[in-house]
Amino acid sequence: MSFEDIDLQWFAAEEEGRTEEPSDLKLEKARKEGRVAKSQEVNGGFVFLFSVLTLLLLGKWLLRNFEEILIFFFTRSAQGNAVSGNSAAVFFDYFLKMVLPVAFVALLAGVVGNIIQNRGWMFSLKPITPNFSKILPHFGEYFKKTIFSKQGAFNIVKSLAKVAILVFAAFAIIRSNMGDLLFIIHQNGNILGAFGKIASIAFKLLFFAAIFFLVISIPDYFVQRSAFIDSLKMTKQEVKEEFKEMEGDPEVKGRIKQAQRQLLASNIPRAVAESDVVVTNPTHFAVALKYDAAANDAPVVNAKGEDFMAQRIKEIARENDVPIVENRPLARSLYADVELGAIIPNKYINAVVILYTHLEKFRKGFKSGA
């Protein structure tokens, strides 16, 4: 198969139509299901590094226990009863005593690595819930994601780089310690001395490998995170549907607002009677304003109407001795831009201030700087 035979769609970063970044709601939903951006390299690096450090800290103690168990069994074997009595119990006692500290630290390191990547503690049974639809894998989709993708290419390069660097590091470390290895040959019967030299070289190699794995896990995490975000990308329709779920259907919200306006309009006689002033243009629009210093920093639109309703507002205003002021641009603007019950926007404050200053009883009450 030539390069011309490869479908370039195999290298697509996202599925067709999924062009929108995942919303916070979808990310939170995925998190509750146990799906987060995660790199196994981070966990492996933490486990490897802290296991090696534990071996370093407990090295002498582990060696002493190893020496004790060897002496115990060699002594028993010389007596002809190596496997009799409590030999098995002694073996498991030493085995658990030597293995459990390292295993516990490795387990704790793995948990810490997960917590760091999850950005906090997270518990979910969803990842281990059986999914029988995955018993028969889709091999085409599998190879597409694991080989013919940016993530697959990165994993291949990463694996080759790990092998190459570790081989080079092992060669360099062994070569730099060749004198110690040659010295071991001349150690007649000094098994512990030879073992110590070999352990020192092995630790250098293990420590380098652990640091290297932890370092390489950093770019791997960002690659895995990018792939995770791509897997959660949404279509435009999904974004709209989610918005409807979060904020409510826009059509429903529109009907609610309309009902609210109708409710306010049904109270127009009382609202106009309680108003401070009615602004008109003078025939088509009428807007009643009310200022309550204890409730708001500026007047609110208490009532408004057009044509017939505007005339009705003016009639109610006259019946209740509410001042009527003609200001054509202000009346038209307030009617068009300000909803019933809303505070006057800042862009109309100066005009409203001038209006209120002509009303002597509100001269001191109105906050001209609001």
Side-chain angles (χ1 to χ4, degrees):
M1 182 176 68
S2 64
F3 286 105
E4 288 78 5
D5 297 326
I6 299 177
D7 187 355
L8 294 179
Q9 289 300 317
W10 290 356
F11 295 89
E14 56 196 25
E15 297 179 9
E16 183 178 358
R18 299 187 177 273
T19 58
E20 307 303 311
E21 293 297 318
S23 64
D24 292 339
L25 180 64
K26 188 165 187 178
L27 290 172
E28 182 62 26
K29 183 179 179 181
R31 178 180 175 81
K32 290 180 179 179
E33 295 176 352
R35 295 187 295 136
V36 294
K38 185 183 298 184
S39 168
Q40 295 302 325
E41 297 290 343
V42 174
N43 290 348
F46 269 92
V47 171
F48 196 3
L49 177 61
F50 283 97
S51 298
V52 171
L53 292 177
T54 303
L55 289 174
L56 174 63
L57 294 174
L58 302 179
K60 292 183 178 180
W61 178 79
L62 292 172
L63 182 60
R64 185 165 61 251
N65 281 272
F66 185 68
E67 182 182 2
E68 289 176 3
I69 195 172
L70 285 179
I71 293 174
F72 174 82
F73 279 104
F74 276 124
T75 302
R76 297 294 292 267
S77 64
Q79 297 172 355
N81 58 350
V83 294
S84 62
N86 63 342
S87 299
V90 171
F91 171 79
F92 281 107
D93 178 61
Y94 272 97
F95 177 79
L96 292 176
K97 185 166 62 175
M98 296 167 66
V99 170
L100 282 180
V102 180
F104 176 76
V105 171
L107 177 63
L108 186 62
V111 172
V112 171
N114 273 300
I115 291 176
I116 291 175
Q117 293 187 85
N118 297 342
R119 299 180 183 180
W121 179 261
M122 183 182 67
F123 179 79
S124 174
L125 296 177
K126 187 68 178 290
I128 61 174
T129 302
N131 187 349
F132 297 102
S133 65
K134 295 184 178 180
I135 293 179
L136 296 176
H138 300 283
F139 291 103
E141 188 69 19
Y142 172 78
F143 285 114
K144 174 183 174 181
K145 291 183 177 179
T146 57
I147 300 178
F148 303 106
S149 65
K150 290 192 294 186
Q151 184 179 359
F154 175 79
N155 289 333
I156 292 174
V157 173
K158 178 183 65 177
S159 300
L160 294 176
K162 287 165 64 174
V163 172
I165 292 177
L166 288 179
V167 169
F168 177 79
F171 174 79
I173 291 174
I174 293 174
R175 185 175 182 180
S176 64
N177 290 273
M178 188 61 69
D180 291 336
L181 293 174
L182 294 175
F183 178 76
I184 294 174
I185 299 176
H186 302 291
Q187 297 295 302
N188 298 322
N190 188 4
I191 298 178
L192 290 179
F195 185 82
K197 293 290 184 182
I198 294 176
S200 175
I201 296 172
F203 173 77
K204 291 179 182 178
L205 180 57
L206 289 174
F207 185 73
F208 173 83
I211 294 296
F212 172 67
F213 285 167
L214 200 57
V215 170
I216 205 173
S217 70
I218 297 175
D220 183 71
Y221 171 78
F222 287 104
V223 171
Q224 299 299 333
R225 177 173 175 78
S226 176
F228 173 73
I229 295 298
D230 282 347
S231 71
L232 294 180
K233 279 188 174 180
M234 309 166 67
T235 63
K236 295 184 182 298
Q237 183 61 32
E238 288 174 336
V239 173
K240 293 179 180 178
E241 291 176 356
E242 186 179 274
F243 179 78
K244 290 180 181 179
E245 292 177 2
M246 292 179 61
E247 303 294 337
D249 192 321
E251 294 181 1
V252 175
K253 291 182 68 177
R255 288 196 293 268
I256 292 174
K257 284 187 175 182
Q258 184 179 1
Q260 291 174 341
R261 288 194 294 267
Q262 290 175 350
L263 180 61
L264 289 171
S266 65
N267 295 323
I268 280 182
R270 186 180 67 181
V272 175
E274 296 174 351
S275 299
D276 305 324
V277 63
V278 172
V279 186
T280 68
N281 79 329
T283 56
H284 295 293
F285 302 102
V287 180
L289 304 179
K290 179 176 177 58
Y291 175 61
D292 185 355
N296 301 295
D297 291 334
V300 298
V301 172
N302 221 29
K304 67 176 183 176
E306 183 180 9
D307 296 331
F308 172 79
M309 184 59 68
Q311 300 303 321
R312 176 61 181 150
I313 289 174
K314 288 191 290 184
E315 290 176 5
I316 298 171
R318 294 189 188 97
E319 293 171 358
N320 292 273
D321 297 323
V322 176
I324 300 174
V325 177
E326 181 179 340
N327 188 322
R328 298 188 180 188
L330 181 60
R332 181 181 293 273
S333 299
L334 292 178
Y335 180 87
D337 296 345
V338 188
E339 295 289 341
L340 279 174
I343 298 176
I344 300 299
N346 287 334
K347 60 182 178 179
Y348 301 125
I349 284 295
N350 289 335
V352 174
V353 167
I354 295 173
L355 178 67
Y356 266 76
T357 55
H358 291 291
L359 306 174
E360 293 293 331
K361 61 179 180 179
F362 299 106
R363 184 186 300 275
K364 296 180 180 180
F366 182 68
K367 297 181 180 179
S368 59

